[in-house]
Amino acid sequence: MKELLKRTLPFWDDLTKREQDALAQRVVESTYEKGTILHYGGRECAGVQIIKSGQARVYVTSPGGGEITLFRLVDEDVSILSAACMMKGLDIELDMELEQDSAICTIPKGVYREISEQNAKVKDYTLEMISEKFSDIMWLFNQYVFSNVASRLADTILEHRSLAGSDTLKITHDALARDIGTAREVVTRLLKQFQTDGLVKLTRGHIEVLDAAKLGKV
């Protein structure tokens, strides 16, 4: 466990041995099946989570039930927003969908808060990571306000291509619609146009990227 914490937490070497031992001994490792939904917000504060293995989609849900994907987490990514409730005045509601069978290591909020209050390096890291993540989210929402749906869909396809490490993606129109916060019918229409333009090839349950460079310019 200490090796995982050392690789994923930039402040690890700035901790005292007692603090390192306290973190390593109190980490809780949990496994989740693909499709599991975890909710964060209000009184539900998990603590700091590390994706030991797997892949997760973090998203927000509108009152009407629509979803917008904020970001994804993969192997050894740290989910600092799962501990955002430790920050006074910061109240956010998030959901995490496990897109693969995953193992997540959680540093309980009490342990993390205690060490953060005692060690300035930990507090600085926490503030920096939360600030950075909210900057990313604000950029995303600016994209939703100022860019068109076709551009967002193209960017999302390229993100999945990067995650999969392949030009052929096994993904549904529904999943893409949830990612970009639009209707499945809109995604289907745009994908057919992308195919007509020679950017992708559509088969049942799969999308093959034919021209990533042009897709990135949509």
Side-chain angles (χ1 to χ4, degrees):
M1 182 57 66
K2 284 188 176 182
E3 286 303 313
L4 175 66
L5 296 175
K6 182 179 178 64
R7 290 196 304 271
T8 55
L9 301 177
F11 56 76
W12 179 258
D13 289 335
D14 295 306
L15 299 177
T16 65
K17 185 179 184 304
R18 185 187 67 80
E19 291 169 338
Q20 290 178 350
D21 291 341
L23 280 183
Q25 292 168 8
R26 296 288 299 279
V27 168
V28 177
E29 182 174 342
S30 304
T31 57
Y32 300 94
E33 293 183 354
K34 177 181 178 180
T36 301
I37 306 293
L38 304 177
H39 178 76
Y40 305 104
R43 296 179 180 177
E44 299 178 53
C45 184
V48 174
Q49 295 185 311
I50 303 167
I51 308 298
K52 183 177 181 180
S53 63
Q55 181 174 306
R57 177 177 74 100
V58 179
Y59 64 97
V60 292
T61 305
S62 72
E67 298 176 4
I68 298 177
T69 299
L70 301 178
F71 52 87
R72 282 182 165 81
L73 300 165
V74 296
D75 292 0
E76 299 197 352
D77 277 346
V78 178
S79 176
I80 196 72
L81 290 186
S82 58
C85 61
M86 293 191 299
M87 307 299 294
K88 292 181 179 179
L90 189 58
D91 186 16
I92 57 175
E93 298 280 337
L94 298 172
D95 290 292
M96 179 190 290
E97 176 190 8
L98 282 306
E99 296 184 314
Q100 300 175 2
D101 291 344
S102 302
I104 298 179
C105 295
T106 302
I107 303 172
K109 61 181 179 181
V111 178
Y112 191 86
R113 182 190 289 118
E114 179 182 347
I115 292 177
S116 178
E117 290 173 350
Q118 296 173 355
N119 192 309
K121 292 287 187 180
V122 181
K123 182 173 290 186
D124 288 346
Y125 166 80
T126 305
L127 291 172
E128 181 182 345
M129 288 296 290
I130 289 177
S131 175
E132 180 181 304
K133 193 56 68 178
F134 271 100
S135 293
D136 291 344
I137 292 171
M138 288 305 300
W139 177 88
L140 175 66
F141 276 99
N142 281 334
Q143 291 294 101
Y144 275 83
V145 173
F146 298 114
S147 69
N148 60 50
V149 180
S151 178
R152 299 204 306 269
L153 178 59
D155 288 344
T156 298
I157 291 171
L158 292 175
E159 178 191 10
H160 282 284
R161 174 178 177 264
S162 177
L163 287 168
S166 170
D167 286 327
T168 302
L169 310 176
K170 185 179 181 181
I171 190 167
T172 66
H173 296 193
D174 278 329
L176 290 171
R178 289 195 300 270
D179 271 355
I180 65 174
T182 191
R184 179 185 59 79
E185 293 78 11
V186 174
V187 169
T188 298
R189 174 173 56 80
L190 288 171
L191 286 174
K192 288 180 179 177
Q193 184 60 52
F194 288 175
Q195 181 168 250
T196 299
D197 294 339
L199 305 179
V200 302
K201 179 181 178 181
L202 305 177
T203 55
R204 188 173 182 81
H206 293 79
I207 299 171
E208 182 181 355
V209 177
L210 300 180
D211 194 328
K214 288 185 178 179
L215 192 61
K217 296 177 182 179
V218 170

